[in-house]
Every structure is written in C-alpha cells, then in structure tokens.
C-alpha cells in the first residue's frame, strides 16, 4: 500500500508538472520572501552555513515533494531565528536549539500526543492561528521590509516605487491568474542583485560545499534549548504542523494531504539531521504553503524543482552567495510576503461554511447527510460564537506576537462558551445517577 501510494503521489507530481510547469516553477519561488531574509541574516552573522542550509533544505524540499505530493514548504524556524539574530548566537547554540525542538516534536509524534492534541483543538482556534499568522506576515513585511524604504532609496533597484509597481502587478494577477508572478519578480530581482553586486566589485565564485560536523558544547546546549528552543515548540506545533495540515486540506481538497503525525516526523527529521552540519533549523509553515499556492504551485513537483535548484546552487557556490543575496530587493520580497499573508487571511472566510472541516464531516460534524451539504446548520448565535473565538485568537496572537498566547486565549474563549452546556450535562448526569440509586 505504501509503495502504491508513493507511485500515485509521484504520478500526480509528474502529471501536474508536465501540464502546468510554468505555474509549478513560479509557485516554488513563492516562499522566498520568508526564506531568503532570515537565511541571509543568519549566514551574514556566521550563525549558520549558507551552503549547508541550501544543500540540506534542498534535500528536504525534494523528499517532501516525493513523499507528500503537495507544495509543502521548508521554512526557517522563526522564533529560533529571531533570538539567534538578536543575540548573535554561535553556530553551536542555534544547532542545539534546532536539535532540541526536533527531538521534542519526534517524541510528540511517535507517542501520539501530537495527533491527540490536533484532534481536540476547536476549528475556530485553528483558523484563528492561520489568520493570525497571515496578519503577522503582512505586518512584518510592511514594518521590516517596506517601511524602511525611501522613494528612491536605498538604491535605484530597491525603493518604494518598485514596491508599488510590484504590488500593482500582484493585484492584477487576481484577474490574470496565469501570469507567473513569482517567477517574473524573482528573475527581475536577481538581475537587479547581480547588477548591484557587479557595481560593488563583488561576484559569487565557485566554491564546492565542504560538509562539516558540528557538536554543541554543554553551554551551547543550555543556551540554545532554554533561550530559543522552548519558545519555538508551540509555534512549530501550532503553525507548522496542525495549521499547515488543515490549510493543505482547505487549499487542496481533492489531493490526499499528509497526516499530523507524518508532518511532525518530517519536521523532527529535518532538524535532527541538518542542524548537526550547520544548517538552519527549519519547519513546514502555513505561510509558506499559502505563498506557494498563491503563486501557482499545486503539487510536490514545485518543491522538488526548488530543492534541486537549492542543491545545485548550495553545492557549487556556497558561502560566496551571501553578498549577492543581500542585494536582492526588499521591495520585491516584502510584496511576496504580503501575498502569502493575504492567502492565509482568506481561509477565515470558510469558518462558518462547509469549507470548515468540522462542519463538512457527514455523520460526525454538524452536517449529517449529503443533502445538507448545501449549507451548514448553524444558528446566528453559533456563527457569532465561532467568529468571536477565531477573532480572539487572532487578536491575542498578533497583539502579543506569540502563537501560544493566541492559542490559549482562543481555548479559554471556547471553554467559556461551552461552560453552560457542560454544567447542564453534569447536572443531568448527577440527577440520573441519583434516580438510579433511589430505584
């Protein structure tokens, strides 16, 4: 069965790429707005090896596409990256953080804790995490990438004028969907980066990747695990595993999506392997999936293409690419991140329709038969409650910039609404028990 499933997945990959290769290639580049800035910042500080990051993330892209058959991204672990950049982590400390998180996620996956956790989370909370992640991406793109730009500065190739042009072009792709936006923007941005690098007197050269082993010291284990790893665990669990599986189901309902456990094992395996060789800690993020889907990716062929590209570039050029990639226009990257955020925001629209998984499960959800799939059976009060739970999750997540706080707030709100029902059930069971005792 497993062999047949892999054959079916890769037959789908091949068929999709054969008929829509331009869209798949364009979609594969959709997540660069998240991947490049973080990878470059960490590599410039000497915290990670750019060559190892490209090689290992490329291998993981290929394996993800082959085994899952959907455009599942390989993204930086953002909480770890933020702490590592702010505190100028050594390569041993960030490796320890990634390995620690990978070990925890592996434990959660093989023991079934992750699967149980995903099943008990209410759908409005999950959608709140997705929408909150989308808003966070937009805020980060506007605040960190686009706001610092001047009208004609810092460069002729990177300014607000180019950002406006890229945004207008993005809006037009809502009408002209077949235009490979991400591919065109990436090529144009790469041309600009090459010109700026040549003018500065620096160009990448051939530098074959030389792998090296990295063994963190006891001090680095403590700093990495405690200062960065612990804060990453809820973000990885909620956004990179639970939310990404639900998003894959929402965006690709006709494609077999991976299970929570399989995605968890994938995240664990990537970090338990790559971090020992100086690669950046990575995960599968819902923002990256939204970005790649938005720009045309529909199968694993897209990430396989990206993986091969990363593998070749990382193996042949390695660390010499840092100067070139640092000159890639922030105006283009910022607009691409905004597009990913908007795609994530759109999943909130299906909260109270049959697009929500808990409303579209015949026999187990609120819709009990095929005839009822014309619309969900929800009262106005139930719709309002679900919307409030989602928005509380979104508001607290964005306000505190913390997925865990948003999740807890959403769960508390959900429990508050359920409390009267639980109380009535408890009273009913207590009354039935007393009657039975009297009989």
């Amino acid at each position: 069965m497993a062999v047949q499933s892999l054959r079916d997945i890769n037959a789908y990959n091949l068929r999709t790429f054969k008929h829509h290769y331009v869209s798949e290639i364009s979609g594969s580049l959709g997540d660069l707005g998240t991947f490049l800035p973080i990878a470059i910042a960490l590599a410039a500080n000497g915290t990670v090896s750019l060559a190892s990051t490209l090689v290992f993330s490329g291998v993981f892209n290929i394996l993800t596409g082959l085994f899952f058959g959907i455009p599942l991204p390989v993204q930086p672990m953002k909480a770890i990256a933020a702490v590592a950049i702010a505190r100028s982590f050594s390569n041993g400390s960030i490796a320890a953080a990634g390995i620690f998180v990978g070990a925890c996620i592996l434990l959660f996956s093989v023991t079934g804790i992750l699967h149980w956790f995903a099943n008990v989370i209410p759908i409005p909370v999950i959608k709140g995490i997705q929408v909150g992640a989308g808003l966070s991406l937009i805020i980060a793109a506007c605040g960190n990438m686009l706001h610092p730009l001047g009208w004609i500065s810092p460069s002729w190739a990177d300014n607000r004028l180019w950002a406006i042009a890229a945004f207008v072009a993005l809006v037009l792709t809502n009408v002209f969907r077949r235009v490979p936006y991400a591919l065109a923007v990436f090529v144009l941005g790469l041309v600009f980066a090459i010109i700026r690098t040549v003018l500065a007197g620096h160009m990448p050269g051939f530098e074959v990747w030389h792998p090296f082993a990295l063994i963190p010291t006891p001090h680095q284990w403590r700093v990495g695990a405690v200062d960065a790893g612990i804060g990453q665990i809820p973000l990885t669990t909620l956004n990179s595993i639970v939310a990404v599986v639900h998003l894959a189901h929402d965006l690709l309902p006709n494609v077999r999506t991976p299970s929570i456990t399989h995605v968890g094992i994938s995240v664990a395996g990537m970090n338990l392997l790559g971090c020992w060789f100086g690669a950046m800690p990575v995960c599968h993020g819902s923002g990256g999936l939204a970005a790649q889907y938005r720009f045309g990716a529909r199968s694993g062929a897209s990430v396989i293409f990206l993986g091969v590209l990363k593998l070749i570039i990382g193996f042949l050029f390695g660390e010499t690419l840092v100067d070139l990639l640092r000159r890639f226009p922030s105006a283009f990257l910022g607009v691409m991140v905004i597009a990913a955020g908007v795609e994530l925001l759109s999943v909130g629209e299906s909260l109270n329709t049959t697009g929500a998984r808990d409303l579209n499960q015949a026999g187990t959800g609120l819709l009990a038969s095929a005839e009822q799939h014309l619309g969900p059976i929800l009262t106005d009060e139930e719709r309002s409650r679900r919307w409030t739970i989602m928005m509380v999750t979104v508001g607290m997540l964005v306000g505190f910039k913390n997925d865990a706080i948003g999740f807890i707030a959403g769960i508390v709100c959900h429990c508050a609404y359920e409390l009267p029902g639980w109380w009535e059930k408890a009273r009913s069971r207590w009354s039935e028990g007393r009657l039975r005792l009297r009989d």
Side-chain angles (χ1 to χ4, degrees):
M1 288 291 291
V3 174
Q4 183 60 43
S5 178
L6 284 176
R7 287 177 178 171
D8 292 342
I9 287 171
N10 289 289
Y12 169 72
N13 286 341
L14 186 61
R15 184 170 62 251
T16 305
F17 192 81
K18 182 178 179 180
H19 292 96
H20 307 285
Y21 61 91
V22 175
S23 295
E24 291 292 299
I25 292 173
S26 179
S28 72
L29 305 172
D31 192 36
L32 293 181
T34 301
F35 184 89
L36 284 183
I38 295 177
I40 293 167
L42 292 172
N45 291 340
T47 305
V48 301
S49 164
L50 182 61
S52 294
T53 295
L54 289 172
V55 168
F56 278 100
S57 65
V59 171
F60 300 148
N61 276 132
I62 293 169
L63 294 177
T64 297
L66 290 174
F67 283 95
F68 294 150
I70 61 173
L72 202 60
V74 174
Q75 285 189 318
M77 285 190 170
K78 298 181 184 65
I80 290 178
V83 175
I85 293 169
R87 297 182 51 180
S88 298
F89 266 18
S90 64
N91 52 13
S93 295
I94 196 171
I99 295 166
F100 171 76
V101 173
C104 291
I105 297 299
L106 180 63
L107 178 65
F108 297 161
S109 300
V110 299
T111 57
I113 293 174
L114 197 59
H115 183 73
W116 170 85
F117 179 70
N119 285 337
V120 300
I121 302 175
I123 292 297
V125 175
I126 292 175
K127 287 193 175 289
I129 292 168
Q130 293 172 335
V131 173
L135 278 175
S136 297
L137 284 175
I138 294 172
I139 292 170
C142 294
N144 300 333
M145 295 182 181
L146 301 180
H147 186 265
L149 299 177
W151 288 105
I152 56 173
S153 61
S155 166
W156 61 268
D158 191 14
N159 50 56
R160 290 184 185 177
L161 295 178
W162 280 115
I164 293 171
F167 182 76
V168 171
L170 175 67
V171 172
L172 290 176
T173 60
N174 290 320
V175 179
F176 304 100
R177 283 279 183 175
R178 297 179 65 87
V179 175
Y181 177 86
L183 180 59
V185 168
F186 175 74
V187 170
L188 182 61
L190 187 60
V191 170
F192 285 179
I194 291 173
I195 293 173
R196 293 175 65 191
T197 305
V198 170
L199 293 176
H202 303 286
M203 273 302 291
F206 285 103
E207 184 181 282
V208 177
W209 176 56
H210 297 288
F212 61 93
L214 185 62
I215 309 297
T217 65
H219 174 72
Q220 290 171 338
W221 279 114
R222 184 189 65 78
V223 171
V226 175
D227 294 355
I230 292 176
Q232 180 66 52
I233 291 174
L235 178 61
T236 295
T237 304
L238 296 170
N239 185 51
S240 303
I241 300 175
V242 177
V244 81
V245 171
H246 281 263
L247 181 64
H249 180 270
D250 291 340
L251 296 180
L252 302 163
N254 299 321
V255 179
R256 182 179 179 182
T257 53
S259 69
I260 295 285
T261 300
H262 287 159
V263 174
I265 291 174
S266 175
V267 170
M270 290 190 299
N271 292 285
L272 290 175
L273 177 61
C275 291
W276 293 104
F277 298 92
M280 178 176 62
V282 291
C283 59
H284 301 303
S286 57
L289 174 58
Q292 292 176 167
Y293 179 88
R294 170 62 180 81
F295 294 120
R298 296 295 184 272
S299 76
S302 59
V303 289
I304 292 173
F305 172 84
L306 179 62
V308 171
L309 191 63
K310 285 181 181 177
L311 198 58
I312 294 172
I313 293 173
F315 191 82
L316 295 180
F317 296 98
E319 310 299 333
T320 67
L321 287 170
V322 174
D323 283 337
L324 173 64
L325 295 179
R326 288 175 70 177
R327 291 180 170 85
F328 195 96
S330 296
F332 294 163
L333 293 176
V335 173
M336 291 174 71
V337 172
I338 288 175
V342 171
E343 192 67 39
L344 268 176
L345 288 178
S346 67
V347 304
E349 182 186 6
S350 64
L351 174 67
N352 291 324
T353 71
T354 53
R357 182 177 293 192
D358 59 339
L359 303 184
N360 200 25
Q361 293 177 341
T364 59
L366 296 180
L367 300 180
S369 67
E371 289 78 16
Q372 292 174 329
H373 280 220
L374 294 175
I377 304 176
L378 288 175
T379 65
D380 289 342
E381 183 181 359
E382 288 168 336
R383 290 173 183 269
S384 176
R385 286 183 177 184
R386 288 166 66 89
W387 180 261
T388 301
I389 293 168
M390 184 181 78
M391 294 311 297
V392 165
T393 305
V394 171
M396 299 299 281
L397 187 156
V398 173
F400 283 94
K401 300 180 181 179
N402 189 305
D403 285 45
I405 292 178
F407 168 75
I408 293 170
I411 291 294
V412 170
C413 185
H414 170 79
C415 292
Y417 279 128
E418 295 293 324
L419 192 60
W422 293 341
W423 174 249
E424 287 300 322
K425 286 181 181 179
R427 288 184 58 187
S428 176
R429 289 176 181 176
W430 173 255
S431 299
E432 289 176 3
R434 292 183 62 187
L435 287 173
R436 287 172 185 172
L437 286 173
R438 289 176 181 177
D439 292 343

